[in-house]
């Protein structure tokens, strides 16, 4: 059913494009009219290994024939395998599995508060977050988000969040009080405009947390699982967080989220304090295991570095071709933003008409999130179309 209007029986909370996708393979997707597109978004940083990757498909089919779901009242072996892999890759100790990024960040917030109150014996509960951040759509995570547009109409918002400018150390120092329990941030603000954190600032945040007895919480929903060129974005900064949140690329399109923390912090979640019905069920955990195994077996991080280099070269050409329209290119790995002097909506729409799907990240930034198996030719195709789009606007 091809439609260009809002479906009658769905809530109208998405500004949907006028296409209906029905099939995907690798980096290509097809709509219900048979038109083919290059997906340069990975489904918003989700299908990092391409659509319907064969190795994952085989593993999921095998699990589908065995066991779909069981409650978390029993041991789930797949969870234990996935948790061990995440611990080994991150240097953290223990994991909790849920269904989405918002749930993972909700878990981070609850973990930080309970750690402060039950493990440390304080009455601290406030979390410092940053302007232009995006942490989710639950009441707590949208309150932590540093964008007013997501909060409109949802008052009263929960207490316990203070938002300050990004990459501003003095602002953070001024915001710390005897109620502060944690600092929460993205190391590359994806939805907020593709703004990377400054290395010296991140290291200073770690020192501040240590000095004041605060937790450093890293939102790795979009940056985690190889998106920035390392397994986790914090590994670019030579710091160790107390806990991180994961989702998006962890299941290659199958819904799964996670909180991974040090053993000391994870101890705040005693039996009965937090939970989920579907989180980490055998299917979801199998998708996570297969994603990480495929990335290791195929040395995907090396592939990310190569695609990044090709993409940067093409974007440098783009900037040279359109010096009046391209301001800068920023980001890490395969999370890149092209800041324009003009609104980004028109070139993004033009590219889609020409068969390349891209995203915006704020009014004047084109966000590029190609999969980790993108070819050199697909990179060149995408940037050629973006160049054409800029010429047309």
């Amino acid at each position: 059913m091809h439609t260009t209007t809002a479906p009658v029986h769905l809530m109208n909370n998405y500004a949907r494009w006028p296409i209906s996708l029905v099939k995907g393979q690798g980096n290509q997707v097809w709509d219900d009219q048979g038109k083919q597109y290059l997906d340069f978004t990975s489904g918003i940083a989700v299908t990092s290994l391409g659509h319907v990757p064969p190795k994952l498909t085989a593993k999921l089919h095998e699990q589908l024939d065995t066991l779909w779901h069981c409650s978390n009242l029993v041991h789930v072996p797949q969870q234990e395998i996935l948790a061990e892999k995440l611990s080994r890759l991150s240097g953290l100790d223990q994991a909790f599995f849920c269904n989405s990024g918002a749930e993972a960040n909700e878990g981070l917030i609850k973990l930080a508060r309970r750690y402060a109150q039950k493990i440390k014996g304080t009455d601290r509960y406030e979390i410092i977050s940053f302007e232009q951040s995006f942490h989710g759509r639950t009441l707590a995570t949208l309150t932590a988000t540093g964008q007013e547009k997501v909060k409109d109409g949802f008052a009263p918002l929960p207490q316990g969040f203070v938002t300050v400018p990004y990459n501003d150390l003095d602002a953070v120092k001024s915001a710390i009080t005897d109620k502060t329990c944690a600092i929460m941030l993205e190391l590359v603000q994806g939805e907020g405009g593709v703004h990377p954190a400054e290395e010296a600032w991140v290291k200073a945040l770690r020192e501040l947390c240590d000095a004041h007895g605060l937790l450093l919480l890293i939102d790795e929903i979009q940056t985690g699982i190889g998106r920035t060129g390392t397994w986790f974005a914090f590994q670019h900064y030579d710091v160790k967080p107390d806990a991180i949140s994961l989702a998006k690329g962890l299941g290659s399109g199958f819904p799964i989220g996670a909180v991974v923390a040090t053993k000391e912090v994870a101890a705040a979640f005693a039996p009965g304090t937090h939970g989920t019905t579907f989180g980490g069920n055998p299917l979801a955990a199998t998708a996570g295991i297969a994603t990480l195994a495929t990335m290791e077996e195929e040395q995907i991080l090396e592939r990310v570095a190569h695609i990044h280099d090709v993409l940067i070269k093409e974007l440098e050409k783009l900037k040279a071709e359109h010096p009046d329209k391209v301001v800068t290119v920023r980001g890490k790995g395969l999370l890149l933003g092209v800041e324009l002097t003009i609104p980004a909506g028109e070139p993004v729409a033009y590219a889609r008409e020409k068969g390349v799907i891209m995203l915006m990240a704020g009014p004047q930034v084109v966000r590029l999130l190609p999969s980790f198996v993108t070819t050199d030719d697909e990179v060149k195709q995408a940037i050629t179309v973006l160049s054409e789009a800029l010429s047309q606007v």
Side-chain angles (χ1 to χ4, degrees):
M1 179 184 68
H2 185 67
T3 181
T4 58
T5 59
V8 174
H9 298 293
L10 290 176
M11 293 188 186
N12 191 30
N13 55 308
Y14 296 112
R16 297 181 192 268
W17 300 327
I19 57 176
S20 300
L21 297 181
V22 297
K23 179 184 175 183
Q25 190 65 57
N27 302 311
Q28 307 297 317
V29 290
W30 288 262
D31 69 15
D32 58 353
Q33 305 301 299
K35 183 175 178 178
Q36 182 174 344
Y37 300 82
L38 169 61
D39 181 2
F40 223 64
T41 74
S42 302
I44 314 184
V46 171
T47 56
S48 300
L49 297 177
H51 292 275
V52 198
K55 289 184 179 179
L56 270 76
T57 300
K59 292 294 184 181
L60 284 171
H61 281 177
E62 181 181 335
Q63 189 61 49
L64 276 167
D65 291 334
T66 307
L67 180 66
W68 293 16
H69 174 79
C70 57
S71 80
N72 280 302
L73 296 174
V74 301
H75 291 281
V76 183
Q78 295 88 345
Q79 282 188 26
E80 296 172 25
I81 294 168
L82 182 55
E84 185 281 327
K85 285 180 176 289
L86 289 173
S87 175
R88 172 172 53 83
L89 294 171
S90 68
L92 300 172
D93 301 311
Q94 295 181 335
F96 163 80
F97 294 109
C98 52
N99 306 286
S100 69
E103 285 181 70
N105 280 335
E106 188 86 13
L108 270 189
I109 292 164
K110 290 181 68 176
L111 186 65
R113 286 188 177 186
R114 201 166 198 282
Y115 174 79
Q117 294 171 35
K118 297 299 183 180
I119 303 296
K120 301 299 287 184
T122 72
D123 60 356
R124 295 182 178 188
Y125 62 91
E126 285 188 348
I127 294 176
I128 297 171
S129 62
F130 297 93
E131 294 175 2
Q132 296 306 117
S133 62
F134 184 84
H135 297 296
R137 299 282 188 173
T138 66
L139 277 176
T141 57
L142 70 82
T143 307
T145 292
Q147 301 182 51
E148 290 303 313
K149 66 182 182 182
V150 307
K151 306 178 185 184
D152 185 36
F154 297 110
L157 298 176
Q159 296 181 353
F161 298 91
V162 178
T163 304
V164 301
Y166 197 62
N167 282 323
D168 186 333
L169 186 60
D170 289 337
V172 179
K173 290 179 178 178
S174 298
I176 295 173
T177 71
D178 59 1
K179 296 298 184 186
T180 308
C181 70
I183 297 172
M184 180 177 183
L185 74 155
E186 302 157 281
L187 291 173
V188 182
Q189 292 183 326
E191 199 274 344
V194 193
H195 297 287
E198 296 170 0
E199 184 173 355
W201 180 67
V202 176
K203 289 182 176 178
L205 291 182
R206 177 71 272 179
E207 292 170 0
L208 268 182
C209 287
D210 292 341
H212 291 274
L214 313 179
L215 297 184
L216 183 62
L217 310 177
I218 305 295
D219 177 344
E220 295 264 11
I221 302 300
Q222 189 161 158
T223 56
I225 317 300
R227 174 57 56 180
T228 66
T230 51
W231 282 105
F232 309 98
F234 74 79
Q235 292 166 332
H236 289 287
Y237 292 87
D238 194 28
V239 297
K240 183 178 180 179
D242 297 291
I244 63 174
S245 55
L246 299 169
K248 287 190 180 290
L250 180 57
S252 295
F254 200 97
I256 184 171
V259 176
V260 191
T262 64
K263 187 175 182 179
E264 178 187 2
V265 174
F269 275 175
T273 58
H274 192 52
T276 168
T277 296
F278 298 107
N281 71 27
L283 274 173
T286 293
I289 293 167
T291 295
L292 298 182
T294 300
M295 289 180 65
E296 288 189 301
E297 291 164 7
E298 299 185 3
Q299 299 180 311
I300 289 292
L301 292 184
E302 293 181 13
R303 181 67 193 163
V304 171
H306 171 77
I307 303 165
H308 169 84
D309 290 344
V310 175
L311 187 50
I312 288 296
K313 288 178 183 177
E314 293 299 314
L315 289 172
E316 287 172 351
K317 294 178 187 176
L318 180 78
K319 186 176 180 181
E321 292 168 359
H322 303 278
D324 58 327
K325 293 177 181 174
V326 178
V327 178
T328 190
V329 175
R330 58 178 178 256
K332 289 185 180 295
L334 297 182
L335 170 49
L336 297 177
V338 182
E339 184 179 355
L340 306 176
T341 59
I342 59 174
E346 284 190 56
V348 167
Y350 177 94
R352 189 170 62 246
E353 285 295 316
K354 295 297 182 180
V356 179
I357 300 174
M358 300 178 182
L359 293 171
M360 294 172 59
Q364 293 183 206
V365 178
V366 177
R367 183 171 25 158
L368 305 176
L369 295 160
S371 87
F372 303 164
V373 294
T374 300
T375 66
D376 294 14
D377 286 344
E378 287 171 331
V379 170
K380 292 172 184 177
Q381 175 192 348
I383 305 309
T384 296
V385 169
L386 180 55
S387 182
E388 292 174 4
L390 294 178
S391 297
Q392 295 296 319
V393 175

